[in-house]
Amino acid sequence: MNVLKFGGTSVGTVESLKNVRSIVEALPSDTVVVVSALGGLTDRLIATARLAAEGGDWRTEADAIAERHYIIIEELVRPDRKQSTLTVVGSLLDELRRTYEGVSLIGDLPAKTLDVIVSLGERMSAPIVAGIIKNGHLHNSLDFIKTEKWFDKNIADASLTRDLIIKEFVDIEKGPHVTGGFISQDRDTGEITNLGRGGSDYTAALIAAALDADMLDIWTDVDGFMTADPRIIKDAIVLPAMSFIESMELCTFGAKVIYPPTIYPVFHKNIPIRILNTFNPTAPGTLISDASCAKEYPVKGVTAIRNTCLVRLSGNLTENVAGINTRAYNALARNGVSVFLLAQPGENHEFSFAIASADRQVATRALNEEFAPELIDGALDSISFEDGLSTIAVVGEGIRHLKGVNGRILNTLMRFGIKPLACSEGNSDTTFSFVVEEKDTVGAIKAIHGLFF
């Protein structure tokens, strides 16, 4: 059996939903379909909630949201399902209006209320898609995707969620089955939560892993993983295949084809992922599995994380690489800050690593608290932060063992007048990454892509 995930652009219009219907109805009945909210709706739900909190005209926006859903129901939902779909979606739209009204009255938008508002996107798209597909069975993902608190974030309770998914889809052959992605429910409080941006991919992966699916298909608006962002590299090519590790690295370093956590549940079950295009369904796409096309494409892609902050710790303490590394990582991890590049200390006694600029304030507090004794006694001279940077990653399995490849990358950058501020070969054999000034991001990507492709 297959699990299919359709993103917002795939379920955004009448025409795209016709493609979804054709794709699903051509498959066997033991299929699970995970859908996002209608394209662009999540952002609109959030914007309207903020408008209501500020005392703006949220009613006009709510009317437009309702009209969009009603038009799709009228155009596409099967005649025998139309009334029941209208009832379900109409009730949810009423809930949305009541919630906006409450936000407007109190002039505030609590995080829990926003979670409820945002959840309505998938709670409305799922019954619509179930009503469009022949014999579509609707499932409420709030019943089986459960989360727990981790610091200030909601993360999936993997064990409980797995057991509930198996129970929910016990009659898997009586499908196709349709459910909403992204949304979830706190296991302890019952409050509506979500899995974060890209959470629909993760929902699909959790379902695929729990049901031991043969394949996880991610249907989107591109033909597959490309060697670089086509908006930057016009002649970027679609990769026919890559390994799980390569795809994880590319996603972690900014490729937005799929949500990075998606890969972990299916990777551990060795369930392949296909990246396919809803608007070009005959294209072969990209197959992600435990194999790689290393001979044909030793380097799979070049990608970037913008808004990078480079953190530098200076002083004699940096001579103890293992100690300072462990302490810095643990201090940041306890505060929910991720490190995506680590540069080993050089002769200048400087230990550097890269984080998201958005995490700078939290990181500053965490590191100053962790290294307070060393800053006082002089073992650590300073902790400094530099913003306005980008992290560039060159990804390919075994790249660290390709003869001279790191030197070729650095020489190419120098020829284009680009100076890396920090370099790292990463913790795996798959990625060579470096930090440049943000103004050099496009130039660096073009230079490296030209080197390998």
Side-chain angles (χ1 to χ4, degrees):
M1 57 84 61
N2 283 19
V3 175
L4 287 67
K5 179 265 177 175
F6 291 95
T9 54
S10 298
V11 297
T13 66
V14 168
E15 290 306 312
S16 64
L17 280 164
K18 288 180 180 178
N19 291 344
V20 171
R21 179 175 61 194
S22 298
I23 291 165
V24 176
E25 290 184 351
L27 295 171
S29 60
D30 58 343
T31 298
V32 179
V33 178
V34 178
V35 296
S36 298
L38 303 187
L41 183 67
T42 299
D43 287 337
R44 193 166 192 177
L45 289 169
I46 294 170
T48 306
R50 290 173 178 160
L51 185 66
E54 295 165 1
D57 181 17
W58 60 268
R59 290 179 178 82
T60 299
E61 288 295 305
D63 288 343
I65 290 170
E67 182 181 11
R68 183 180 179 191
H69 287 81
Y70 285 140
I71 287 173
I72 290 175
I73 293 171
E74 180 60 33
E75 290 281 336
L76 290 179
V77 171
R78 301 173 67 84
D80 60 326
R81 302 282 292 274
K82 189 165 292 184
Q83 189 53 55
S84 61
T85 304
L86 282 168
T87 299
V88 171
V89 174
S91 175
L92 293 169
L93 286 166
D94 288 342
E95 180 181 344
L96 179 63
R97 286 181 177 278
R98 290 193 302 270
T99 309
Y100 281 149
E101 181 74 48
V103 168
S104 178
L105 287 172
I106 66 173
D108 188 30
L109 182 58
K112 292 179 182 179
T113 302
L114 184 59
D115 282 344
V116 172
I117 290 170
V118 171
S119 77
L120 288 162
E122 278 75 10
R123 291 164 67 192
M124 291 188 290
S125 65
I128 290 174
V129 174
I132 290 170
I133 297 169
K134 184 178 180 181
N135 297 325
H137 293 270
L138 177 65
H139 298 260
N140 184 358
S141 55
L142 298 178
D143 292 338
F144 51 87
I145 304 295
K146 302 297 182 179
T147 59
E148 58 181 318
K149 278 291 184 184
W150 186 75
F151 297 105
D152 61 341
K153 297 179 181 179
N154 299 302
I155 64 168
D157 181 331
S159 179
L160 175 60
T161 295
R162 181 192 64 243
D163 293 344
L164 291 174
I165 289 171
I166 293 171
K167 182 179 179 181
E168 179 74 18
F169 296 96
V170 65
D171 294 324
I172 188 65
E173 71 281 356
K174 298 179 180 179
H177 305 269
V178 180
T179 190
F182 174 69
I183 58 175
S184 48
Q185 188 177 55
D186 187 277
R187 68 177 185 191
D188 300 315
T189 67
E191 294 172 343
I192 290 176
T193 57
N194 64 69
L195 300 175
R197 288 290 186 171
S200 291
D201 289 354
Y202 192 38
T203 302
L206 290 170
I207 294 172
L211 300 180
D212 291 320
D214 298 310
M215 184 77 68
L216 169 59
D217 291 339
I218 305 290
W219 289 87
T220 180
D221 56 0
V222 295
D223 284 343
F225 261 102
M226 305 189 77
T227 51
D229 186 337
R231 293 169 297 183
I232 297 174
I233 306 295
K234 301 301 181 184
D235 57 351
I237 61 174
V238 176
L239 291 160
M242 63 173 55
S243 69
F244 287 117
I245 293 173
E246 289 168 334
S247 63
M248 279 191 256
E249 292 287 278
L250 281 169
C251 291
T252 299
F253 281 95
K256 300 185 183 302
V257 180
I258 55 177
Y259 182 53
T262 300
I263 301 159
Y264 294 101
V266 292
F267 169 66
H268 291 298
K269 287 291 192 77
N270 199 21
I271 298 170
I273 305 172
R274 286 187 300 189
I275 309 299
L276 300 163
N277 191 343
T278 307
F279 305 92
N280 186 19
T282 59
T286 300
L287 177 67
I288 302 170
S289 67
D290 60 355
S292 174
C293 52
K295 290 184 179 179
E296 187 177 3
Y297 299 105
V299 171
K300 299 303 186 297
V302 187
T303 188
I305 301 177
R306 296 176 184 265
N307 299 314
T308 289
C309 176
L310 190 60
V311 185
R312 296 185 176 95
L313 283 68
S314 302
N316 292 331
L317 185 67
T318 60
E319 294 178 1
N320 181 0
V321 176
I324 196 169
N325 187 354
T326 300
R327 289 178 61 188
Y329 265 59
N330 288 344
L332 294 172
R334 288 194 300 270
N335 289 273
V337 177
S338 296
V339 174
F340 42 77
L341 177 144
L342 171 66
Q344 295 296 328
E347 295 179 358
N348 57 354
H349 298 294
E350 191 173 82
F351 177 78
S352 304
F353 53 88
I355 61 173
S357 292
D359 291 330
R360 174 176 174 165
Q361 186 174 355
V362 174
T364 301
R365 184 185 69 250
L367 293 172
N368 280 325
E369 289 176 356
E370 175 64 30
F371 294 105
E374 288 80 8
L375 287 168
I376 292 171
D377 65 22
L380 197 63
D381 295 335
S382 66
I383 302 175
S384 62
F385 299 81
E386 183 178 357
D387 287 307
L389 309 175
S390 290
T391 300
I392 311 293
V394 187
V395 175
E397 200 154 304
I399 191 172
R400 287 172 60 181
H401 303 296
L402 294 178
K403 187 176 180 179
V405 68
N406 294 357
R408 290 169 60 199
I409 291 172
L410 296 175
N411 287 336
T412 299
L413 293 172
M414 290 176 62
R415 287 203 308 273
F416 282 84
I418 299 170
K419 181 182 178 182
L421 303 177
C423 298
S424 173
E425 296 178 354
N427 295 321
S428 72
D429 292 340
T430 310
T431 303
F432 178 77
S433 55
F434 52 91
V435 176
V436 298
E437 293 185 19
E438 191 150 11
K439 65 180 179 61
D440 291 327
T441 305
V442 171
I445 292 173
K446 288 182 176 180
I448 302 306
H449 192 273
L451 173 64
F452 291 107
F453 299 101

